[in-house]
Structures are given as structure tokens and as C-alpha cells.
Amino acid sequence: MSKRREIALCIGAGPAADELVSRWGEEGRQIASRVHVMPSDERARAALAALDEVREVWVAAGEGLGAINLAAAVKADHPGRKVYLVDCEETGSVRSRMHAAALDGTRSLSELTAVVRAQMARGDAAAPGADSADGLPSGAEEPPSVPPLSATQETVPEAAAQALLAERSTEASTGLARAGFLLTVVSGSGGAGKSTVSTLAAHLAARRGLRTALLDADLQFGDLRDLAGSCLRVPLEEVAADGSALAAADDAPLTLIEAPRRLETAEVLGAALPAVVDELLARFDFVAVNTGAGWDEQRLALLERSVSTLFLVDQRASSVRACRHALDLCLRCGVATSSFLLAVNRCTRHAPFTSIDVSSALHGAHVVELADGGREVEELLGAGMVEALVESRNPLCTSIDRLLDEILPGAGGMASCGGEPLSPGRRGLRGTPRRESGRRRGRREEKERRRSRKEARAASGVLS
């Protein structure tokens, strides 16, 4: 009787399982002796339905294998099992599809081998039904020995294998998701409203009950510390040095990762940004990232990791041209733009540009509109009163809330601006709620503006 095998390796349609294992060499044979290897989509799904012992399913990527489709189908059949992609390149489109399918992350073949080797070293003595010291029932045949890895092949240290097992145990006990929703706010040039939009998006996501992180990735001139209002704050330097610095954020609805105060540290922290983003995605449901005006390798890597990228354009012709140049750069660098959502900011009835104008300039791309929030946006944000701004049902807040409805999976009807969802019949042309007409509307709006300005002046006096 063979030992308990809790991992299934799915290879999908295409090459036979023994061919792919043979191509992997000694590592493949070692894995095959300790996991269930399933060579086709339908056979894998049927076999997994009958294997109660399997707790994790690792789906190998390859040419023509349709790995993500198979992984999504397996996850849908068995939501309680962990489903990973093996040796899969994490592009923006892949991460988007993984998030939509609720997959648990990616792994490498070396990690799979490390886990198997660690399990073999520990033995299966604790497995149910094990009667002997080696984990086999009495009288059972000893399974064939697995040949050691060749000295010329890459091996994973035992400590690394134990760390992987500990990580899997922690995820199982805490229910920690490894694929939080990453929204990156960018623009082709400065002044388009990235700081404002990312801050409001984070607060609105937190009001929906999502554990939210707001990352200020404008490493030289980030100022979200002055805009984010009342929330937990953790310096980016501390997170980059030790991910456990986020332990205090476990019970916080919104956490701000502050940009460095010293400009000379920006280059060093830029190199650590991917690791920081991974740490945030493992801990939070929703991560909003504010970016600077410059474009570099770190920016492109961030876009590839994003489930959705909000590309802002303001009411200047130079902003539209800069957007076009930035999109061309993404195409030349092979960055998938399918996750991009273009938005023209500060839209009013008499604004120079509408979404149709910007769409025409960008060769027919889909563009949405964000309404102009007026003076109270600058006044309340400048005073650190973002909560009051969200409560005021400002047109900009309402537009961003509608935007979250569009990009967040299963978010329909969850609009949080002002505390109640709005039905489609109450929406205006730009997705903002229709206002009542006549003198009553004018008196009400003027009263709200006066109250907001008074609160902002009072807060400014306290801060000074």
C-alpha cells in the first residue's frame, strides 16, 4: 500500500504525463513517486472528485496546456482545496485571470520538489491509518525508493522546504489569501489627480468591508501622509526591511504605507517595491497604489502585477499626449494593457475634454469619466478630512465608487459613498447620481459647500 499522497499534479491536455515527467528528469521522477499525476483535463477533474486525500492541486503550465483554464475548473469543482500554477510567468493578464478564478498563487517545480522531499524526510507516521513507525500499515510493501537528485542539478535547502511547509500551514489556519486585488493608479504626466483618486479609492474600498492597504509608491514626492486622514501608518522603509512590520495592520480596516521622507532612499526602496507589493497582496483584500510622474522598470513591473490599472488623463492636451506616449511604451515593452482602464478626470459640463474626445485621441480606446469634485476636494483633503469628503457624497467620490463597482469582482450594488447603494435609475450620464432640480437643489448645495469650507478652515486653524 502506498503512502498518503496529498498533492495532485495536473498536466492538462497535450503531451502525455510520462513525457513531461521524463523531460523534467530526475526531479520529475521524484515528484511522480509521491504525488498523483494526471495527464488530461477531464481525467484530472474526474480523478480529483474521487480522491478525498488530496488537499492541494498543482497545475503545470506549458505550451498549449491551458493551465489557467484547468486550474479554474479544478478550483470551481473543489473550492476548499488549494490550487496553484506551476512554472507560470506572472504577467498582468495572468494575474487578472488568477484573481478572477480565486486561485491561491504560483509555485515553481523546485518548490514542489522541496515540499515532497521534506515530507519524505519527516515520514508519514502521523497520517491516519499508519500502524508502523515508517507510516505503513503492518504487512504493507515498502514503496520503491526515490533516487537522490544529481549533484549537478539545483537543489533546495531543507530549511527552505520547511519554510514552505510552514507557510502552507499558516495559510490553511488563517485563511490568508495570496492574491489580493491590486489597483495601480498611473498617468502619463504629473498633476492628473493620482494622489486624490488613489486615496479616495482606498477609503471607499475600506467602507465596503475590504481590508485595504494604500501604498504611496511616489518614492520621491509622495504626500499621501498628508491626505490619507485617520488610518494606521507604516513607513515603507520598515516594510521593505521586515514584512512583519505589517503585523499591527491585521485588525486595521485601512493601512497607509508611507513614502520615504528622505529622497536619497528612493532608488534603494524602488528595488524592494516588488517584494513589498507581494507582502501586501498576501495580507490585504485590496491594495491601491499611488505612483509618481516618472516611468521606469519598477513602474512597468508594477503594471504587470496589477489586476487593474487606472490610467488617468486630465483636461490638458499635454496630458492626453503623455498618455499616448506611455501606452506606446507599454506596448514596446510587452506589458499587457488588457487590464488598463482609462479615465478622464475633472469632467464638468463645460470641461474641454469628454471621454469621447479622449477616446478619439487614443484610437477608440474605452474611456470613462470622473466628475469634478469642486473646491471642497482640495479643501478637505488638504485639511486631512478625507472621511468628511467621502461622507459628503461629492461627485468625484461617487464617480470613483462607480468605478470600483466596475473593476471589483462581484461588487455590483455595493456602492459605499454616502452609505447606501444607488439604483441605475438614479445615475446621471457620467455615472453620478442625478440631482434634484430647482431652488431647493441650489440652496442645499450652497449650504453643504459652506459647511465644508467652515470645517476645513477650523481644521486648518487647529493644525497650524
Side-chain angles (χ1 to χ4, degrees), residues 230-249:
S230 301
C231 63
L232 179 66
R233 298 159 185 265
V234 183
L236 179 58
E237 299 95 318
E238 295 183 7
V239 181
D242 185 3
S244 62
L246 292 170

Side-chain angles (χ1 to χ4, degrees), residues 7-25 27-29 31-33 35-45 47-48 56-71 74 83-87 109 112:
I7 297 178
L9 175 63
C10 297
I11 298 179
D18 52 356
E19 281 186 23
L20 197 52
V21 171
S22 175
R23 205 184 317 149
W24 280 336
E27 282 187 329
R29 286 192 289 274
I31 292 172
S33 68
V35 303
H36 297 281
V37 180
M38 303 173 183
S40 70
D41 293 20
E42 294 303 323
R43 291 171 57 184
R45 296 177 67 181
L48 287 170
E56 297 184 6
V57 181
W58 297 50
V59 181
E63 294 183 3
L65 298 182
I68 297 182
N69 293 335
L70 173 58
V74 170
V83 180
Y84 301 103
L85 289 178
V86 181
D87 289 341
L109 181 62
L112 179 56

Side-chain angles (χ1 to χ4, degrees), residues 202 210-215 253-257 280 284-289:
L210 301 175
R211 294 188 61 250
T212 303
L214 175 58
L215 171 61
L254 175 61
T255 302
L256 169 65
I257 313 302
L280 295 176
F284 294 92
D285 303 320
F286 182 86
V287 180
V289 181

